[in-house]
């Protein structure tokens, strides 16, 4: 009899295929003896770290984005002398070399988990390095369990980039993790590549190798050994998703009210992949160029990268977010004081307080890229704005450099509450609903067990979105949403009803959102939004909105 596992779905895809379980990474031998020659053992361990780094760099060169950038960053982590030096110290203290290497990596991973936020996310990456180093020292093949002979659904506890690199992604029908989180690297990669994924699927590791699985990412369900009837239902979903993807018309309600449907990208490859279905870019994450770099990229390098993305969207707008780094997304080339609460520290535009030249150079590089690709509209915005004064400062710098259209992110409750004053300083704003929910609900966005609090359906979060949208309507200026909530077809109707003018999301989410918006009038969207705003709980808000969705849309999208 079929059983159903539930978790957090990433995207809307559906997949039916046999399970392929990734074996746990190898462990050091129990009671490993001390090395007979400590110096020789230390050199062997250092060589193992270097070998793993080289393997990951080679994998990055052969991988598509966003996996390529993540792998390159992980390769640099493997070369961090802190790891090999710690292992060397342990070896000299009499710890066996394999045990010492594993303990050194695990010690740093545990520290990162304690910091939370982006740093906790990197703990999984480090443990991927740990597994490879241990395998190298033991003379084992770290990728043997990842070999796929046929199209399969990959099942694991968690999936580090190092493990992902060993998979033939063309044969990965879906990914099911018993752990992980909706904003971890696996989820990001799956979302960008359109691979159905379910994380925090408790019980997934109890599935036997080769067991047929049916994954429905939209509902976060994994059916173990599905019946013929269940397979037929899911195959119908596959066919419907393919039909939705064939429609690439501009976003608009059924009565012609325009709602721009844009893509979130981080690289030129992302932009190239999104161009056929998106009307432009609503969030270009420029920090991909900066994170884990040993030195700051110069203005020429930045300009070339930005121009490469702009060239993918001639005649359309590309909204570029300036560097969202610092504090919980540290820059190797920028020395920052340790912070007890990095999510509330020097990040985003706040870097202008400690690294003004870095921010100024990026602004000038964006202006140069805009001049180099005149057929595309570059809209520049900056993250982590809390006051109108900060917005005015960024606007002054950007306009002086030659950026024509300037905006800011609304991710902090203070910015939403003062949206009218902020819009008096800039040309547009864009809501980052992931961080807005985190800061409003005082909940770490990487903690999956707090996902109910992090929902944009929470009444307090919805009210802040509505406040910002009203300020935009009053000012006659665009207000977009570029958080993952924009990719939820039901929430897209609410946002449209609130007066949001553009929705930006992973390219794989565009077809379903386009269908939902185009099958409702603006007035219907406004009624749906009003019902959601009137609810007292997140669950009530979602039910109230879903209850007003057109029957045919509910059927097609499974709402």
């Amino acid at each position: 009899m079929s059983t159903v596992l539930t978790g957090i779905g990433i995207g809307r895809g559906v997949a039916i295929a046999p399970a392929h379980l990734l074996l746990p990474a190898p462990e050091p031998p129990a009671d490993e003896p001390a090395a007979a020659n400590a110096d020789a053992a230390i050199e062997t361990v250092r060589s193992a770290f270097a070998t793993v780094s080289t393997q990951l760099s080679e994998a990055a060169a052969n991988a598509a984005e966003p996996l390529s950038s993540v792998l390159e960053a992980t390769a640099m982590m493997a070369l961090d002398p802190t790891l090999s030096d710690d292992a060397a110290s342990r070896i000299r203290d009499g710890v066996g070399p394999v045990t010492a290497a594993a303990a050194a990596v695990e010690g740093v991973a545990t520290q990162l988990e304690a910091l939370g936020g982006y740093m906790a996310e990197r703990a999984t990456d480090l443990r991927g390095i740990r597994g490879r180093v241990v395998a190298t020292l033991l003379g084992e093949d770290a990728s043997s369990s990842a070999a796929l002979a046929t199209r399969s659904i990959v099942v694991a506890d968690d999936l580090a980039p190092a493990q992902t690199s060993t998979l033939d992604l063309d044969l990965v029908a879906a990914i099911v993790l018993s752990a992980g989180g909706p904003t971890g690297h696996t989820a990001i990669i799956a979302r960008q590549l359109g691979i159905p994924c379910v994380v925090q699927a408790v019980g997934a590791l109890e599935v036997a190798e080769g067991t047929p699985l049916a994954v429905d990412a939209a509902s976060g369900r994994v059916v173990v050994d599905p019946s013929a009837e269940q397979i037929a239902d899911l195959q119908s979903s596959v066919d419907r998703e393919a039909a939705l993807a064939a429609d690439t018309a501009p976003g608009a309600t059924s009565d012609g009210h325009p709602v721009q449907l844009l893509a979130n990208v981080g690289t030129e490859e992302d932009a190239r992949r999104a161009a056929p279905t998106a009307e432009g870019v609503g969030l270009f994450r420029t920090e991909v160029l900066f994170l884990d770099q040993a030195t700051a990229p110069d203005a020429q390098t930045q300009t070339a990268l930005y121009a490469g993305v702009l060239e993918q969207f001639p005649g359309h707008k590309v909204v570029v977010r300036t560097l969202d780094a610092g504090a919980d997304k540290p820059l190797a080339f920028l020395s920052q004081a340790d912070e007890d609460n990095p999510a509330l520290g020097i990040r985003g535009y706040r870097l202008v307080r400690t690294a003004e030249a870095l921010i100024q150079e990026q602004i000038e590089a964006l202006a140069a890229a805009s001049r180099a690709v005149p057929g595309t509209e570059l809209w520049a915005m900056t993250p982590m704005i809390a006051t109108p004064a900060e917005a005015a400062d960024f606007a002054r710098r950007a306009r002086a450099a030659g950026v024509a259209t300037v905006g800011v992110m609304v991710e902090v409750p203070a910015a939403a509450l003062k949206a009218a004053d902020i819009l008096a300083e800039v040309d547009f704003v864009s809501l980052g609903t992931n961080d807005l929910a985190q800061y409003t609900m005082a909940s770490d966005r990487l903690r999956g067990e707090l996902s109910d609090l992090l929902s944009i359906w929470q009444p307090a979060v919805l009210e802040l979105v509505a406040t910002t949208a009203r300020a935009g309507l009053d000012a006659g200026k665009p207000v977009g949403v570029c958080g993952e909530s924009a990719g939820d077809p039901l929430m897209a109707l609410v946002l449209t009803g609130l007066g949001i003018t553009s929705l930006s999301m992973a390219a794989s989410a565009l077809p379903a959102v386009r269908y939902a918006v185009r099958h409702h009038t603006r007035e219907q969207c406004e009624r749906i939004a009003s019902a959601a705003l009137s609810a007292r709980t997140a669950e009530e808000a979602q039910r109230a909105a879903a209850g007003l969705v057109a029957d045919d849309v509910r059927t097609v999208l499974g709402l």
Side-chain angles (χ1 to χ4, degrees):
M1 181 177 294
S2 302
T3 58
V4 179
L5 310 178
T6 58
I8 300 174
I10 308 299
R12 288 188 48 81
V14 175
I16 304 168
H20 177 74
L21 273 68
L22 291 191
L23 300 177
E27 292 292 332
D31 301 320
E32 181 187 15
N37 185 328
D39 289 340
I42 289 170
E43 184 57 36
T44 298
V45 168
R46 292 191 190 279
S47 177
F49 277 105
T51 296
V52 168
S53 179
T54 299
Q55 291 171 345
L56 292 172
S57 290
E58 291 173 349
N62 296 317
E65 292 293 354
L67 178 58
S68 177
S69 295
V70 174
L71 286 171
E72 192 56 52
T74 309
M76 293 187 66
M77 293 173 68
L79 285 181
D80 187 341
T82 301
L83 301 177
S84 53
D85 288 350
D86 187 352
S89 177
R90 293 171 188 267
I91 291 170
R92 292 192 182 96
D93 288 341
V95 178
V98 184
T99 304
V105 179
E106 184 60 30
V108 178
T110 301
Q111 292 174 16
L112 293 182
E113 282 184 325
L115 291 174
Y118 177 80
M119 302 303 288
E121 180 183 306
R122 302 312 294 270
T124 298
D125 303 356
L126 269 174
R127 291 194 173 106
I129 293 171
R130 176 187 184 275
R132 281 198 168 230
V133 169
V134 169
T136 300
L137 291 171
L138 295 176
E140 298 181 10
D141 183 359
S143 64
S144 59
S145 72
L148 298 177
T150 186
R151 187 170 180 271
S152 306
I153 293 173
V154 174
V155 180
D157 176 46
D158 205 347
L159 202 56
Q163 292 173 291
T164 307
S165 71
T166 64
L167 296 168
D168 181 348
L169 294 180
D170 290 335
L171 294 178
V172 177
I175 297 171
V176 177
L177 304 180
S178 63
T183 58
H185 275 147
T186 298
I188 292 170
I189 291 167
R191 187 179 288 113
Q192 287 294 116
L193 298 180
I195 298 174
C197 180
V198 176
V199 300
Q200 295 188 26
V202 177
L205 296 182
E206 298 172 13
V207 174
E209 177 73 20
T211 301
L213 299 180
V215 175
D216 183 356
S219 64
R221 297 168 68 247
V222 180
V223 183
V224 181
D225 199 11
S227 66
E229 183 179 359
Q230 288 170 318
I231 290 175
D233 287 343
L234 285 168
Q235 186 58 52
S236 296
S237 297
V238 173
D239 296 339
R240 285 196 298 268
E241 292 295 323
L244 293 178
D247 182 2
T248 59
T253 59
S254 59
D255 53 346
H257 173 66
V259 182
Q260 282 190 314
L261 300 181
L262 310 170
N264 294 342
V265 306
T267 65
E268 184 176 340
E269 178 59 31
D270 288 348
R272 186 177 297 112
R273 191 183 301 116
T277 56
E279 297 177 60
V281 171
L283 174 62
F284 174 16
R285 303 180 180 96
T286 60
E287 59 270 12
V288 172
L289 179 62
F290 292 82
L291 293 176
D292 300 298
Q293 296 296 312
T295 59
D298 59 29
Q300 184 177 2
T301 300
Q302 290 188 54
T303 299
L305 173 69
Y306 306 149
V309 172
L310 293 174
E311 288 168 352
Q312 306 309 311
F313 288 92
H316 296 280
K317 78 176 182 183
V318 174
V319 182
V320 184
R321 181 177 69 189
T322 62
L323 185 59
D324 187 12
D328 66 332
K329 297 180 185 178
L331 300 174
F333 54 83
L334 184 65
S335 178
Q336 289 275 91
D338 291 338
E339 295 179 299
D340 293 332
N341 205 338
L344 304 180
I346 303 294
R347 58 169 294 198
Y349 191 63
R350 295 176 181 182
L351 280 170
V352 78
R353 299 167 182 250
T354 57
E356 182 179 7
L358 180 68
I359 299 300
Q360 187 63 37
E361 185 172 53
Q362 183 180 31
I363 291 171
E364 291 171 359
L366 288 171
S370 182
R371 291 191 294 270
V373 189
T376 302
E377 299 177 41
L378 183 143
W379 293 27
M381 66 180 181
T382 199
M384 281 301 287
I385 291 295
T387 69
E390 289 176 326
D393 184 67
F394 174 70
R396 175 185 59 79
R397 293 174 185 270
R399 288 169 180 152
V403 176
T405 308
V406 181
V408 300
M409 296 280 291
V410 174
E411 305 157 287
V412 179
L417 293 170
K418 299 299 292 181
D421 291 338
I422 286 175
L423 277 164
E425 304 292 346
V426 296
D427 303 311
F428 72 98
V429 297
S430 184
L431 285 145
T433 52
N434 299 350
D435 269 327
L436 183 62
Q438 171 178 245
Y439 291 124
T440 302
M441 304 305 295
S443 300
D444 188 337
R445 57 187 281 192
L446 295 180
R447 297 300 295 266
E449 65 267 41
L450 298 178
S451 59
D452 59 319
L453 293 177
L454 290 164
S455 170
I456 191 178
W457 294 99
Q458 285 289 347
V461 182
L462 267 181
E463 186 56 49
L464 290 173
V465 173
T467 297
T468 307
R470 284 193 295 269
L473 291 171
D474 291 343
K477 294 182 178 180
V479 175
V481 169
C482 60
E484 288 303 328
S485 61
D488 175 353
L490 182 57
M491 177 52 67
L493 297 177
V494 173
L495 296 173
T496 299
L498 291 176
I500 297 299
T501 57
S502 66
L503 302 170
S504 189
M505 65 206 76
S508 59
L510 286 165
V513 171
R514 179 179 282 110
Y515 184 90
V517 173
R518 290 184 62 191
H519 285 75
H520 291 82
T521 65
R522 182 177 184 178
E523 183 180 356
Q524 286 176 310
C525 291
E526 290 171 349
R527 287 202 299 269
I528 292 171
S530 179
L533 279 175
S534 299
R536 296 178 64 252
T537 68
E539 294 76 16
E540 288 177 9
Q542 195 164 9
R543 283 197 302 270
L548 294 175
V549 172
D551 290 341
D552 56 338
V553 175
R554 187 181 295 110
T555 299
V556 171
L557 300 183
L559 300 178

